[in-house]
Amino acid sequence: MKRKDIIYTAGLFDGEGCIVITRGPKKNGRGKIYNCVAIRMEICNTDLDLIKSIKKDWDEGHICKIPPRPVKHGMSKPQLRWQLTHRQAHRVLKRIMPYMREKNKLAKAQEVMDYYNKAS
């Protein structure tokens, strides 16, 4: 992957993306409760070709369709969401973090990195 594409993704992620880390108890199929960490990062946009292009460039994650919803003056535009979970998010964040600038997202990205560095 070209450096300019990595930088572009970092900028797009700074503006449009989000990182979610949740921790808490979860029950498995047998009723046993265990601690769980869920990691997700995503970019959502109405430029469908842009999201498809990023997914293709990175060859990670998956695309979710978000249907239009009612708004004050009609319907919103359809959107696509490029979503990465767990190790996928970790692999992408390792490459885009040096180019990210948004402090809150950098802090969340660092949480993901710390989690996987500790797990290794």
Side-chain angles (χ1 to χ4, degrees), residues 37-40 84-91 112 115-116:
V37 175
I39 296 170
R40 186 181 80 239
L84 304 126
T85 57
H86 302 284
R87 293 274 183 194
Q88 297 168 338
H90 180 243
R91 285 189 294 269
V112 172
Y115 175 77
Y116 282 108

Side-chain angles (χ1 to χ4, degrees), residues 56-113:
K56 183 180 175 191
D57 288 346
W58 286 90
D59 194 28
E60 291 275 8
H62 63 276
I63 292 180
C64 305
K65 292 181 183 177
I66 302 172
R69 57 184 184 269
V71 292
K72 194 172 190 177
H73 301 288
M75 296 292 280
S76 66
K77 292 181 179 181
Q79 300 177 30
L80 286 180
R81 176 184 296 145
W82 178 47
Q83 189 172 54
L84 304 126
T85 57
H86 302 284
R87 293 274 183 194
Q88 297 168 338
H90 180 243
R91 285 189 294 269
V92 170
L93 285 171
K94 276 197 299 192
R95 296 184 71 191
I96 68 171
M97 273 184 71
Y99 307 105
M100 291 172 61
R101 295 185 178 180
E102 208 281 308
K103 288 180 174 54
N104 293 329
K105 289 180 187 149
L106 270 169
K108 283 286 189 182
Q110 190 59 54
E111 268 187 72
V112 172
M113 301 312 264

Side-chain angles (χ1 to χ4, degrees), residues 1-65:
M1 180 173 238
K2 294 179 182 173
R3 183 173 177 259
K4 68 179 178 93
D5 295 328
I6 296 169
I7 293 170
Y8 182 80
T9 302
L12 186 63
F13 189 78
D14 269 347
E16 300 288 330
C18 92
I19 301 173
V20 178
I21 302 170
T22 56
R23 293 176 172 88
K26 187 173 182 174
K27 195 181 284 190
N28 69 10
R30 297 182 210 171
K32 183 179 178 183
I33 296 175
Y34 62 98
N35 289 327
C36 178
V37 175
I39 296 170
R40 186 181 80 239
M41 75 182 256
E42 57 190 41
I43 298 174
C44 190
N45 203 291
T46 58
D47 185 342
L48 309 182
D49 290 335
L50 172 68
I51 297 297
K52 289 175 186 176
S53 171
I54 289 173
K55 162 70 169 89
K56 183 180 175 191
D57 288 346
W58 286 90
D59 194 28
E60 291 275 8
H62 63 276
I63 292 180
C64 305
K65 292 181 183 177

